[in-house]
């Protein structure tokens, strides 16, 4: 596997591969790879000739006071794991090259970036959109893969691709979970053993609300109430939001229509760790009729 740090070498490599007629896949990550990332790499391996995994802890998507400094980093481990999963390149640019002195440009995607994470982490998606734009320009991928765990991020990236005319196909890969349901995340290493157990409340809440939708419940307030009740069982969880929205637009109608795809979203803090998770569910065509 190639290990590339320089932006210029990465551009040259990508250009050569394109000229040779190869199909390039990009798996953008912030490193400290876990099974969720490895699934993205394996899927990319199936879809493309050349798999580029980027590892870059992007400072512009962290708010002041967030965990940028302590975000887990282990590039040697990432190299081993990415190679074993089938990556051809590990691209690990330096902050000073991505954002040199005098850098001033920011990419803002309006609309889907505004609710939920946009309220609790204002400016976060500008940082994501900016770095994803830069990674697309540098690595020139035909396809890029993102995890469903960051559902709102996938919508922001799709909008970015449409609006800026990137010829990149976006693939969203299902969330990989621990056996007890906790969504895999590099940030899970922050959790103390006791918190780790409590963190499964997010998954339980999503499953309960999902079951309700599948039983025919379409009223958003009732679906959200189910999320809230389950989360309230763990008083240590400090909730940012629990929501049910149209999966593709994040609109929140009073009642969902039969056949619509709904995304259930939760975000909460447990001690100093912020957890997010989501579940997609299709509203049945013929729900149980309510009295
Ligand atoms: O999902 C992530 O890890 C990051 O937001 C991404 C897409 C790599 C951009 O820094």
């Amino acid at each position: 596997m190639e290990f590339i740090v320089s932006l210029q070498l990465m551009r040259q490599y990508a250009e050569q591969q394109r000229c040779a007629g190869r199909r390039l896949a990009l798996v953008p990550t912030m490193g400290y790879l876990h099974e969720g990332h490895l699934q993205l790499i394996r899927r990319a391996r199936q879809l493309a000739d050349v798999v580029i995994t980027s590892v870059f802890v992007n400072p512009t998507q962290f708010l002041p006071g967030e965990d940028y400094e302590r975000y887990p980093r282990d590039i040697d481990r990432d190299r081993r794991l990415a190679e074993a999963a089938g990556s051809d390149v590990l691209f690990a640019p330096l902050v000073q090259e991505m954002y040199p002195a005098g850098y001033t440009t920011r990419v803002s995607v309006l609309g889907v970036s505004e609710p939920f994470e946009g309220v609790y982490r204002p400016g976060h998606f500008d940082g994501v959109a900016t770095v994803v734009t830069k990674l697309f320009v540098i690595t020139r991928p035909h396809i890029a893969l993102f995890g469903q765990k960051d559902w709102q991020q996938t919508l922001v990236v799709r909008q970015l691709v449409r609006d800026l005319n990137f010829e990149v196909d976006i693939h969203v890969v299902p969330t990989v979970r621990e056996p007890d349901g906790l969504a895999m995340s590099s940030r899970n290493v922050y959790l103390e053993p006791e918190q780790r157990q409590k963190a499964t409340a997010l998954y339980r809440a999503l499953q309960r609300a999902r079951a309700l939708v599948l039983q025919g419940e379409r009223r958003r307030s009732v679906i959200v109430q189910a999320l809230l009740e389950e989360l309230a069982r763990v008083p240590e969880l400090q909730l940012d939001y629990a929501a049910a929205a149209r999966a593709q637009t994040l609109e929140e109608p009073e009642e969902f229509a039969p056949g619509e795809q709904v995304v259930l979203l939760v975000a909460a803090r447990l001690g100093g760790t912020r957890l997010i998770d989501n579940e997609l569910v299709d509203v049945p065509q013929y729900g149980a009729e309510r009295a």
Side-chain angles (χ1 to χ4, degrees), residues 14 19 30 121 126 136 168 174 213 229-230 238 260 263 289:
C19 286
M30 295 208 300
R121 301 185 73 193
D126 287 0
F136 284 177
V168 182
V213 175
E229 277 174 19
E230 201 58 45
Q238 290 173 275
E260 244 181 346
V263 61
E289 289 309 319

Side-chain angles (χ1 to χ4, degrees), residues 10-87:
M10 186 65 248
R11 290 181 81 117
Q12 278 171 7
Y13 176 94
E15 205 47 47
Q16 279 162 9
Q17 298 298 328
R18 274 195 164 242
C19 286
R22 301 199 180 101
R23 198 169 157 74
L24 274 63
L26 174 67
V27 179
T29 81
M30 295 208 300
Y32 212 68
L33 302 181
H34 52 68
E35 188 54 33
H37 297 118
L38 302 181
Q39 294 280 17
L40 296 176
I41 297 173
R42 290 186 199 112
R43 183 79 188 113
R45 181 76 280 156
Q46 293 169 343
L47 295 171
D49 304 310
V50 179
V51 178
I52 302 165
T53 304
S54 65
V55 168
F56 181 62
V57 185
N58 173 37
T60 65
Q61 69 187 76
F62 290 80
L63 274 65
E66 287 190 345
D67 55 344
Y68 174 66
E69 300 296 341
R70 72 169 181 136
Y71 196 86
R73 293 162 168 90
D74 188 341
I75 196 68
D76 293 331
R77 179 173 167 276
D78 289 344
R79 271 173 92 152
R80 285 196 302 276
L81 290 174
E83 182 166 21
S87 191

Side-chain angles (χ1 to χ4, degrees), residues 21-225:
R22 301 199 180 101
R23 198 169 157 74
L24 274 63
L26 174 67
V27 179
T29 81
M30 295 208 300
Y32 212 68
L33 302 181
H34 52 68
E35 188 54 33
H37 297 118
L38 302 181
Q39 294 280 17
L40 296 176
I41 297 173
R42 290 186 199 112
R43 183 79 188 113
R45 181 76 280 156
Q46 293 169 343
L47 295 171
D49 304 310
V50 179
V51 178
I52 302 165
T53 304
S54 65
V55 168
F56 181 62
V57 185
N58 173 37
T60 65
Q61 69 187 76
F62 290 80
L63 274 65
E66 287 190 345
D67 55 344
Y68 174 66
E69 300 296 341
R70 72 169 181 136
Y71 196 86
R73 293 162 168 90
D74 188 341
I75 196 68
D76 293 331
R77 179 173 167 276
D78 289 344
R79 271 173 92 152
R80 285 196 302 276
L81 290 174
E83 182 166 21
S87 191
D88 297 296
V89 179
L90 193 87
F91 174 46
L94 300 174
V95 176
Q96 56 268 37
E97 219 194 338
M98 288 291 270
Y99 301 113
Y103 182 95
T104 60
T105 298
R106 185 169 59 197
V107 180
S108 278
V109 174
L110 306 183
V112 284
S113 69
E114 291 171 36
F116 310 127
E117 290 300 287
V119 172
Y120 288 90
R121 301 185 73 193
H124 164 70
F125 284 128
D126 287 0
V128 171
T130 302
V131 80
V132 169
T133 300
K134 286 173 72 73
L135 290 170
F136 284 177
V137 169
I138 296 161
T139 65
R140 305 266 328 275
H142 297 88
I143 66 174
L145 296 93
F146 294 83
Q148 187 197 312
K149 177 171 164 285
D150 295 293
W151 179 255
Q152 193 174 358
Q153 170 172 278
T154 69
L155 298 178
V156 170
V157 170
R158 284 189 193 282
Q159 183 77 42
L160 170 80
V161 164
R162 276 197 300 276
D163 290 352
L164 298 188
N165 309 101
F166 280 115
E167 289 187 3
V168 182
D169 278 343
I170 302 301
H171 289 252
V172 176
V173 175
T175 303
V176 178
R177 298 182 179 281
E178 302 285 357
D180 62 4
L182 180 69
M184 290 207 183
S185 162
S186 306
R187 288 188 167 101
N188 289 350
V189 294
Y190 300 151
L191 294 168
E192 304 290 344
E194 204 182 306
Q195 295 174 328
R196 166 67 191 76
Q197 219 196 345
K198 298 196 156 124
T200 55
L202 275 73
Y203 178 68
R204 281 198 305 277
L206 292 169
Q207 292 315 307
R208 180 165 155 194
R210 182 171 184 275
L212 207 57
V213 175
L214 291 175
Q215 283 158 25
E217 183 55 71
R218 297 175 194 153
R219 290 167 296 177
R220 186 170 58 82
S221 60
V222 178
I223 300 166
V224 171
Q225 189 57 35

